[in-house]
Amino acid sequence: MKKTWLSKLGATGAVGTMLALSATMAPLAHAADAPGVAFVYLGNPGDAGWTFAHDAGTKEVEAKYGNKIKITRVENVPESADSERVFRDLAAKGNKVIVGTSFGYQDFELKVARDFPDITFLTATGYKKAKNFGVYDNRMYQGAYLAGVAAGYVTKTNTLGFVASVPIPEVIRNINAYTMGARSVNPKVHTKVIWINSWFDPGKEKQAAETVWLGMPDKAVDLEDVNTTVVPAKAMEAVAAKRAELQSGKWDVFMGPVKDQSGAVKIPAGTNLTDPELQRINWYVEGVDGALPK
């Protein structure tokens, strides 16, 4: 169920973002004048995950705009100083929009953006901004919360597992939301986290498994394809009730009171974490075992 949820949300978020991006581009009369839009990928579309979802989004843009835009894709770019060279080269070639599709590109891309003020740069799930540098993201933690609600009903051991990629705020939000969702229906639940410190490593994943920030009110996030042969009807009713609350926009996952794993109140009753606080979250909620990687 977890793998299906992650791939569905990844595809939905990426396609929605790319279509929103394409909508800002005015159609041009001549293909020769087509603006260049470049995407920098951490892996390749064969990963069946994050990069695959982004690539699917770029193909939808191409299908809609045809030769009115020119898309360039650069694959297998590490989140290191090496990426700065790639961003700088794409800017020098005249691309009008450059998209870094992974959190780790943020600082390198921002450095290049400052040298090319007439080019628009976008980065995935970051938190830094400049006049020509922005972030795209959606509230995937809301879907994680709903998955946790279902898991809290299904577990027979009160121990849940979460295979985590890289310890950045986005991933920590999802771990916390997943745990909070489970504990909302089963307070005895604890979540054990295994960090693989990689965005794509099938071997480690298999071993471990053994702004304008959009969310549910905007229909950007949901929980789909739940296996109802193992998740009981009562659990699905609870998921539906929480989904309705999230879709209303009147309640969100990180609304207090919320305690951290030491039992201290981190978010007081009646208050909610602001978006900047969510984008920098670096602590576990009550019920998550272990410590964050240094």
Side-chain angles (χ1 to χ4, degrees), residues 61-103:
V61 172
E62 282 183 316
K64 182 173 182 179
Y65 282 85
N67 64 1
K68 293 174 183 175
I69 61 170
K70 180 183 178 182
I71 288 183
T72 299
R73 304 169 181 85
V74 184
E75 301 178 1
N76 300 312
V77 177
E79 295 169 302
S80 67
D82 238 13
S83 68
E84 181 183 333
R85 175 186 55 78
V86 174
F87 288 117
R88 197 169 295 280
D89 179 64
L90 291 168
K93 288 179 177 176
N95 287 285
K96 298 301 183 185
V97 179
I98 299 176
V99 183
T101 64
S102 191
F103 178 91

Short mmCIF file of all heavy atoms in Angstrom, two decimals, residues 61-103:
data_model
loop_
_atom_site.label_atom_id
_atom_site.label_comp_id
_atom_site.label_asym_id
_atom_site.label_seq_id
_atom_site.Cartn_x
_atom_site.Cartn_y
_atom_site.Cartn_z
N VAL A 61 3.30 18.27 -21.02
CA VAL A 61 3.52 19.63 -21.50
C VAL A 61 3.82 19.62 -22.99
O VAL A 61 3.27 20.43 -23.76
CB VAL A 61 4.67 20.30 -20.72
CG1 VAL A 61 5.03 21.64 -21.33
CG2 VAL A 61 4.29 20.47 -19.24
N GLU A 62 4.66 18.70 -23.41
CA GLU A 62 5.00 18.59 -24.84
C GLU A 62 3.77 18.26 -25.67
O GLU A 62 3.57 18.81 -26.76
CB GLU A 62 6.06 17.51 -25.05
CG GLU A 62 7.46 17.94 -24.68
CD GLU A 62 8.49 16.87 -24.96
OE1 GLU A 62 8.22 15.70 -24.62
OE2 GLU A 62 9.55 17.19 -25.51
N ALA A 63 2.94 17.37 -25.15
CA ALA A 63 1.73 16.98 -25.89
C ALA A 63 0.79 18.16 -26.05
O ALA A 63 0.11 18.31 -27.08
CB ALA A 63 1.03 15.83 -25.16
N LYS A 64 0.75 19.02 -25.06
CA LYS A 64 -0.17 20.16 -25.10
C LYS A 64 0.36 21.30 -25.96
O LYS A 64 -0.39 21.95 -26.68
CB LYS A 64 -0.42 20.65 -23.68
CG LYS A 64 -1.41 21.82 -23.61
CD LYS A 64 -1.75 22.17 -22.17
CE LYS A 64 -2.77 23.29 -22.10
NZ LYS A 64 -3.15 23.64 -20.71
N TYR A 65 1.67 21.56 -25.91
CA TYR A 65 2.24 22.73 -26.58
C TYR A 65 3.05 22.41 -27.83
O TYR A 65 3.42 23.32 -28.57
CB TYR A 65 3.10 23.52 -25.59
CG TYR A 65 2.25 24.35 -24.66
CD1 TYR A 65 1.72 23.79 -23.51
CD2 TYR A 65 1.93 25.66 -24.96
CE1 TYR A 65 0.91 24.52 -22.66
CE2 TYR A 65 1.12 26.41 -24.12
CZ TYR A 65 0.61 25.83 -22.97
OH TYR A 65 -0.21 26.56 -22.14
N GLY A 66 3.35 21.14 -28.06
CA GLY A 66 4.05 20.77 -29.29
C GLY A 66 5.33 21.56 -29.50
O GLY A 66 6.13 21.74 -28.59
N ASN A 67 5.50 22.09 -30.72
CA ASN A 67 6.75 22.80 -31.04
C ASN A 67 6.75 24.26 -30.61
O ASN A 67 7.62 25.02 -30.99
CB ASN A 67 7.06 22.68 -32.54
CG ASN A 67 6.00 23.37 -33.39
OD1 ASN A 67 5.04 23.95 -32.88
ND2 ASN A 67 6.17 23.30 -34.70
N LYS A 68 5.77 24.63 -29.78
CA LYS A 68 5.75 25.99 -29.26
C LYS A 68 6.70 26.17 -28.08
O LYS A 68 6.94 27.29 -27.63
CB LYS A 68 4.32 26.39 -28.87
CG LYS A 68 3.40 26.48 -30.09
CD LYS A 68 1.97 26.72 -29.68
CE LYS A 68 1.07 26.74 -30.92
NZ LYS A 68 -0.35 26.85 -30.54
N ILE A 69 7.19 25.05 -27.56
CA ILE A 69 8.25 25.10 -26.55
C ILE A 69 9.29 24.06 -26.90
O ILE A 69 9.02 23.13 -27.67
CB ILE A 69 7.72 24.84 -25.12
CG1 ILE A 69 7.10 23.44 -25.02
CG2 ILE A 69 6.75 25.90 -24.67
CD1 ILE A 69 6.77 23.03 -23.61
N LYS A 70 10.47 24.21 -26.36
CA LYS A 70 11.54 23.25 -26.59
C LYS A 70 12.04 22.74 -25.24
O LYS A 70 12.59 23.50 -24.44
CB LYS A 70 12.70 23.89 -27.35
CG LYS A 70 13.84 22.93 -27.62
CD LYS A 70 14.99 23.63 -28.32
CE LYS A 70 16.16 22.67 -28.56
NZ LYS A 70 17.31 23.37 -29.21
N ILE A 71 11.82 21.46 -24.98
CA ILE A 71 12.20 20.88 -23.70
C ILE A 71 13.54 20.16 -23.79
O ILE A 71 13.79 19.40 -24.72
CB ILE A 71 11.10 19.93 -23.18
CG1 ILE A 71 9.88 20.74 -22.72
CG2 ILE A 71 11.62 19.06 -22.03
CD1 ILE A 71 8.76 19.93 -22.13
N THR A 72 14.39 20.42 -22.81
CA THR A 72 15.67 19.73 -22.68
C THR A 72 15.68 18.99 -21.35
O THR A 72 15.25 19.53 -20.33
CB THR A 72 16.85 20.73 -22.70
OG1 THR A 72 16.85 21.41 -23.95
CG2 THR A 72 18.18 20.01 -22.51
N ARG A 73 16.15 17.74 -21.36
CA ARG A 73 16.25 16.95 -20.13
C ARG A 73 17.70 16.53 -19.94
O ARG A 73 18.33 16.03 -20.87
CB ARG A 73 15.37 15.71 -20.22
CG ARG A 73 13.89 16.00 -20.50
CD ARG A 73 13.15 14.71 -20.83
NE ARG A 73 11.75 14.92 -21.12
CZ ARG A 73 11.26 15.25 -22.32
NH1 ARG A 73 12.09 15.43 -23.35
NH2 ARG A 73 9.97 15.41 -22.50
N VAL A 74 18.21 16.72 -18.74
CA VAL A 74 19.56 16.26 -18.41
C VAL A 74 19.44 15.26 -17.26
O VAL A 74 18.95 15.60 -16.18
CB VAL A 74 20.48 17.43 -18.00
CG1 VAL A 74 21.90 16.93 -17.76
CG2 VAL A 74 20.47 18.53 -19.06
N GLU A 75 19.87 14.03 -17.50
CA GLU A 75 19.69 12.95 -16.53
C GLU A 75 20.95 12.70 -15.70
O GLU A 75 22.05 13.11 -16.05
CB GLU A 75 19.32 11.65 -17.26
CG GLU A 75 18.06 11.73 -18.09
CD GLU A 75 17.76 10.43 -18.82
OE1 GLU A 75 18.54 9.46 -18.67
OE2 GLU A 75 16.77 10.39 -19.57
N ASN A 76 20.73 12.04 -14.56
CA ASN A 76 21.82 11.52 -13.71
C ASN A 76 22.78 12.62 -13.26
O ASN A 76 24.00 12.47 -13.34
CB ASN A 76 22.58 10.42 -14.45
CG ASN A 76 21.69 9.25 -14.82
OD1 ASN A 76 20.93 8.77 -13.98
ND2 ASN A 76 21.75 8.82 -16.06
N VAL A 77 22.22 13.72 -12.77
CA VAL A 77 23.03 14.82 -12.27
C VAL A 77 23.08 14.75 -10.74
O VAL A 77 22.05 14.83 -10.08
CB VAL A 77 22.45 16.19 -12.71
CG1 VAL A 77 23.27 17.33 -12.12
CG2 VAL A 77 22.38 16.27 -14.23
N PRO A 78 24.25 14.58 -10.15
CA PRO A 78 24.35 14.46 -8.69
C PRO A 78 24.03 15.76 -7.98
O PRO A 78 24.18 16.85 -8.53
CB PRO A 78 25.82 14.06 -8.47
CG PRO A 78 26.53 14.61 -9.65
CD PRO A 78 25.57 14.50 -10.80
N GLU A 79 23.60 15.64 -6.73
CA GLU A 79 23.31 16.83 -5.90
C GLU A 79 24.62 17.33 -5.30
O GLU A 79 24.86 17.23 -4.10
CB GLU A 79 22.31 16.48 -4.81
CG GLU A 79 20.94 16.09 -5.35
CD GLU A 79 20.05 15.50 -4.27
OE1 GLU A 79 20.44 14.49 -3.66
OE2 GLU A 79 18.98 16.06 -4.02
N SER A 80 25.47 17.88 -6.13
CA SER A 80 26.79 18.33 -5.72
C SER A 80 27.17 19.54 -6.56
O SER A 80 26.38 20.02 -7.38
CB SER A 80 27.81 17.21 -5.93
OG SER A 80 27.99 16.96 -7.32
N ALA A 81 28.39 20.03 -6.37
CA ALA A 81 28.86 21.17 -7.15
C ALA A 81 28.83 20.88 -8.64
O ALA A 81 28.79 21.79 -9.47
CB ALA A 81 30.27 21.55 -6.72
N ASP A 82 28.82 19.60 -8.99
CA ASP A 82 28.70 19.20 -10.40
C ASP A 82 27.42 19.75 -11.02
O ASP A 82 27.38 20.09 -12.20
CB ASP A 82 28.66 17.67 -10.49
CG ASP A 82 29.79 17.14 -11.36
OD1 ASP A 82 30.70 17.92 -11.67
OD2 ASP A 82 29.73 15.97 -11.72
N SER A 83 26.35 19.82 -10.21
CA SER A 83 25.07 20.29 -10.74
C SER A 83 25.13 21.77 -11.11
O SER A 83 24.45 22.22 -12.03
CB SER A 83 23.94 20.05 -9.73
OG SER A 83 24.09 20.87 -8.59
N GLU A 84 25.95 22.54 -10.40
CA GLU A 84 26.08 23.96 -10.72
C GLU A 84 26.56 24.14 -12.16
O GLU A 84 26.07 25.02 -12.88
CB GLU A 84 27.06 24.65 -9.77
CG GLU A 84 27.21 26.14 -10.05
CD GLU A 84 28.24 26.81 -9.16
OE1 GLU A 84 28.49 26.32 -8.04
OE2 GLU A 84 28.80 27.83 -9.59
N ARG A 85 27.49 23.32 -12.58
CA ARG A 85 27.99 23.39 -13.96
C ARG A 85 26.87 23.12 -14.95
O ARG A 85 26.75 23.80 -15.98
CB ARG A 85 29.11 22.37 -14.15
CG ARG A 85 29.62 22.26 -15.58
CD ARG A 85 30.61 21.13 -15.72
NE ARG A 85 30.07 19.86 -15.28
CZ ARG A 85 29.22 19.11 -16.01
NH1 ARG A 85 28.82 19.53 -17.21
NH2 ARG A 85 28.79 17.96 -15.55
N VAL A 86 26.00 22.16 -14.63
CA VAL A 86 24.88 21.82 -15.53
C VAL A 86 23.89 22.97 -15.61
O VAL A 86 23.46 23.37 -16.70
CB VAL A 86 24.18 20.53 -15.03
CG1 VAL A 86 22.92 20.26 -15.87
CG2 VAL A 86 25.14 19.34 -15.11
N PHE A 87 23.52 23.54 -14.45
CA PHE A 87 22.58 24.66 -14.45
C PHE A 87 23.15 25.86 -15.20
O PHE A 87 22.45 26.53 -15.96
CB PHE A 87 22.23 25.06 -13.02
CG PHE A 87 21.34 24.08 -12.30
CD1 PHE A 87 21.79 23.41 -11.18
CD2 PHE A 87 20.06 23.82 -12.76
CE1 PHE A 87 20.98 22.49 -10.52
CE2 PHE A 87 19.23 22.91 -12.11
CZ PHE A 87 19.69 22.24 -10.99
N ARG A 88 24.43 26.10 -15.00
CA ARG A 88 25.06 27.25 -15.65
C ARG A 88 25.11 27.04 -17.17
O ARG A 88 24.87 27.99 -17.95
CB ARG A 88 26.48 27.44 -15.10
CG ARG A 88 27.08 28.80 -15.40
CD ARG A 88 28.35 29.02 -14.60
NE ARG A 88 28.10 29.08 -13.17
CZ ARG A 88 27.65 30.16 -12.53
NH1 ARG A 88 27.41 31.27 -13.22
NH2 ARG A 88 27.45 30.15 -11.23
N ASP A 89 25.37 25.82 -17.60
CA ASP A 89 25.42 25.53 -19.04
C ASP A 89 24.04 25.69 -19.67
O ASP A 89 23.91 26.26 -20.76
CB ASP A 89 25.92 24.09 -19.24
CG ASP A 89 25.98 23.71 -20.71
OD1 ASP A 89 26.76 24.33 -21.45
OD2 ASP A 89 25.24 22.78 -21.10
N LEU A 90 22.99 25.23 -18.99
CA LEU A 90 21.63 25.36 -19.51
C LEU A 90 21.21 26.83 -19.60
O LEU A 90 20.51 27.23 -20.54
CB LEU A 90 20.65 24.57 -18.64
CG LEU A 90 20.78 23.05 -18.69
CD1 LEU A 90 19.97 22.40 -17.59
CD2 LEU A 90 20.34 22.53 -20.06
N ALA A 91 21.64 27.62 -18.63
CA ALA A 91 21.33 29.05 -18.66
C ALA A 91 22.08 29.73 -19.80
O ALA A 91 21.51 30.56 -20.53
CB ALA A 91 21.71 29.69 -17.33
N ALA A 92 23.33 29.38 -19.98
CA ALA A 92 24.14 30.00 -21.04
C ALA A 92 23.59 29.67 -22.42
O ALA A 92 23.76 30.45 -23.37
CB ALA A 92 25.58 29.52 -20.92
N LYS A 93 22.91 28.53 -22.54
CA LYS A 93 22.34 28.13 -23.83
C LYS A 93 21.01 28.82 -24.12
O LYS A 93 20.39 28.57 -25.16
CB LYS A 93 22.18 26.61 -23.87
CG LYS A 93 23.52 25.88 -24.00
CD LYS A 93 23.34 24.38 -24.00
CE LYS A 93 24.69 23.67 -24.19
NZ LYS A 93 24.58 22.20 -24.10
N GLY A 94 20.54 29.65 -23.20
CA GLY A 94 19.36 30.47 -23.47
C GLY A 94 18.03 29.92 -23.04
O GLY A 94 16.98 30.46 -23.42
N ASN A 95 18.01 28.85 -22.23
CA ASN A 95 16.73 28.35 -21.73
C ASN A 95 16.04 29.42 -20.88
O ASN A 95 16.71 30.11 -20.09
CB ASN A 95 16.95 27.08 -20.90
CG ASN A 95 17.29 25.89 -21.76
OD1 ASN A 95 16.44 25.32 -22.42
ND2 ASN A 95 18.57 25.52 -21.78
N LYS A 96 14.75 29.55 -21.04
CA LYS A 96 14.01 30.59 -20.32
C LYS A 96 13.55 30.14 -18.94
O LYS A 96 13.35 30.95 -18.04
CB LYS A 96 12.79 31.03 -21.14
CG LYS A 96 13.16 31.64 -22.49
CD LYS A 96 14.04 32.86 -22.33
CE LYS A 96 14.34 33.51 -23.68
NZ LYS A 96 15.29 34.64 -23.53
N VAL A 97 13.32 28.82 -18.79
CA VAL A 97 12.92 28.26 -17.50
C VAL A 97 13.79 27.03 -17.25
O VAL A 97 13.94 26.19 -18.12
CB VAL A 97 11.43 27.84 -17.50
CG1 VAL A 97 11.05 27.23 -16.14
CG2 VAL A 97 10.53 29.04 -17.80
N ILE A 98 14.36 26.95 -16.05
CA ILE A 98 15.20 25.81 -15.69
C ILE A 98 14.68 25.23 -14.38
O ILE A 98 14.51 25.95 -13.39
CB ILE A 98 16.68 26.23 -15.55
CG1 ILE A 98 17.20 26.78 -16.89
CG2 ILE A 98 17.53 25.04 -15.09
CD1 ILE A 98 18.61 27.32 -16.83
N VAL A 99 14.43 23.92 -14.39
CA VAL A 99 13.81 23.25 -13.25
C VAL A 99 14.77 22.21 -12.67
O VAL A 99 15.15 21.27 -13.36
CB VAL A 99 12.49 22.55 -13.67
CG1 VAL A 99 11.81 21.93 -12.45
CG2 VAL A 99 11.55 23.55 -14.35
N GLY A 100 15.13 22.39 -11.42
CA GLY A 100 15.91 21.38 -10.70
C GLY A 100 14.96 20.51 -9.92
O GLY A 100 14.23 20.99 -9.06
N THR A 101 14.91 19.23 -10.23
CA THR A 101 13.84 18.37 -9.73
C THR A 101 14.14 17.67 -8.42
O THR A 101 13.45 16.71 -8.06
CB THR A 101 13.46 17.32 -10.80
OG1 THR A 101 14.60 16.46 -11.03
CG2 THR A 101 13.04 17.98 -12.10
N SER A 102 15.15 18.12 -7.67
CA SER A 102 15.46 17.49 -6.40
C SER A 102 15.92 18.52 -5.38
O SER A 102 16.56 19.52 -5.73
CB SER A 102 16.54 16.42 -6.58
OG SER A 102 16.66 15.62 -5.42
N PHE A 103 15.61 18.29 -4.12
CA PHE A 103 15.89 19.22 -3.03
C PHE A 103 17.36 19.61 -2.97
O PHE A 103 17.71 20.76 -2.72
CB PHE A 103 15.46 18.58 -1.70
CG PHE A 103 15.73 19.42 -0.48
CD1 PHE A 103 14.78 20.30 0.00
CD2 PHE A 103 16.94 19.31 0.21
CE1 PHE A 103 15.02 21.07 1.13
CE2 PHE A 103 17.19 20.07 1.34
CZ PHE A 103 16.22 20.95 1.81
#
